[in-house]
């Protein structure tokens, strides 16, 4: 499991959380799999305490489910949950886009263009991990520039639920979000057209809600 490798002895709770979350999203720990704190602690080179704390956060995030004194396991990919998460995350992306566009600098737009170039190349190569990383990098520019920490935290919390379904669709021969839609978003941002940027953002996230409807 590539995501489950030993971590440095700093911010252990966060690093355990991120490593286990990423392994779940990547499918390295499959839906329905039972997870054990002792086993994952050994894999990560940690004590059991930060792993248990990570489990608690992942239960709150909807990636794990737990029955006291019985099991902790990875949740299934449920279309309704993905649709709900996409609706919330999409609405927040519209919000941060509306705030961020008037504040964007040329360097911010350049970062978005470079991320979309990587996204398009990764989609052509069939590299889902690189595609989703680049997609995150593109949209994170707007989240960061907006300065809305509540939106950023909520997006970070619920995006992994969506990513699991995106990865599965990609593996089944489907496609990631369109680089063309990204390009439209970037052009609207470059021109300072807030309303158009918000419209394109809404279109991107409606596509993800549709992905869940097709499950």
């Amino acid at each position: 499991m590539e995501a489950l490798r030993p971590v440095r002895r700093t911010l252990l709770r966060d690093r355990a959380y991120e490593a286990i979350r990423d392994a779940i999203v990547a499918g390295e720990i499959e839906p329905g799999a039972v997870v054990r704190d002792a086993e994952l602690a050994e894999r990560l080179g940690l004590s059991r305490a930060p792993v248990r704390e990570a489990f608690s956060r992942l239960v709150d995030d909807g990636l794990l489910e737990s029955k006291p004194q019985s099991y902790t396991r990875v949740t299934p990919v449920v279309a309704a949950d993905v649709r709900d998460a996409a609706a919330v995350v999409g609405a927040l992306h519209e919000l941060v886009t509306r705030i961020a566009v008037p504040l964007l600098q040329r360097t911010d737009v350049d970062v978005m263009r470079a991320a979309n170039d990587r996204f398009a190349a990764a989609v052509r190569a069939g590299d889902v991990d690189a595609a989703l990383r680049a997609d995150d990098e593109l949209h994170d520019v707007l989240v960061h520039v907006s300065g809305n920490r509540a939106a950023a935290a909520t997006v970070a919390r619920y995006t992994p639920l969506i990513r699991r379904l995106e990865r599965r669709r990609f593996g089944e021969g489907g496609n990631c979000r369109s680089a063309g839609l990204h390009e439209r978003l970037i052009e609207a941002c470059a021109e300072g057209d807030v309303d158009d940027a918000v419209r394109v953002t809404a279109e991107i996230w409606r596509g993800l809600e549709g992905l869940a409807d097709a499950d």
Side-chain angles (χ1 to χ4, degrees):
M1 295 184 179
E2 294 182 2
L4 292 175
R5 51 184 183 271
V7 297
R8 291 179 292 174
R9 305 294 298 183
T10 57
L11 301 174
L12 298 183
R13 293 174 298 178
D14 291 341
R15 292 184 181 277
Y17 168 78
E18 290 167 4
I20 299 167
R21 178 201 63 195
D22 291 349
I24 291 171
V25 172
E28 294 174 18
I29 308 177
E30 296 182 350
V34 173
V35 292
R36 298 177 175 83
D37 55 6
E39 178 183 339
L40 292 185
E42 182 177 357
R43 286 179 179 272
L44 294 169
L46 299 173
S47 67
R48 293 167 70 174
V51 173
R52 287 172 180 163
E53 292 185 49
F55 281 6
S56 180
R57 289 177 64 183
L58 290 162
V59 168
D60 289 341
D61 291 352
L63 293 173
L64 292 179
E65 56 187 4
S66 182
K67 183 177 180 180
Q69 309 303 319
S70 182
Y71 62 78
T72 300
R73 66 189 179 196
V74 178
T75 56
V77 179
V78 178
D81 292 343
V82 175
R83 187 166 51 250
D84 289 347
V88 170
V89 173
L92 290 173
H93 274 291
E94 291 179 48
L95 171 65
V96 299
T97 297
R98 188 171 295 281
I99 297 169
V101 170
L103 304 175
L104 288 170
Q105 303 297 313
R106 175 179 288 184
T107 53
D108 297 317
V109 176
D110 289 344
V111 170
M112 294 174 72
R113 290 192 192 281
N116 197 37
D117 289 343
R118 291 192 297 275
F119 173 84
V123 171
R124 288 194 298 270
D127 187 341
V128 63
D129 291 316
L132 294 180
R133 279 196 305 271
D135 185 76
D136 283 338
E137 290 164 11
L138 189 157
H139 291 283
D140 281 351
V141 171
L142 296 168
V143 175
H144 175 73
V145 171
S146 78
N148 190 317
R149 290 189 295 177
T154 305
V155 166
R157 178 176 179 179
Y158 289 108
T159 296
L161 286 173
I162 303 165
R163 291 307 194 208
R164 287 207 293 168
L165 183 58
E166 282 189 283
R167 285 185 57 86
R168 190 169 80 185
R169 285 284 182 247
F170 195 100
E172 292 170 352
N175 214 337
C176 285
R177 280 179 254 181
S178 165
L181 278 175
H182 286 161
E183 188 60 36
R184 285 174 50 199
L185 173 61
I186 294 166
E187 289 306 314
C189 290
E191 295 169 6
D193 190 334
V194 174
D195 290 340
D196 193 36
V198 171
R199 277 194 295 271
V200 177
T201 299
E203 185 175 347
I204 289 170
W205 288 93
R206 278 197 304 270
L208 282 179
E209 289 185 58
L211 189 72
D213 288 335
D215 197 49

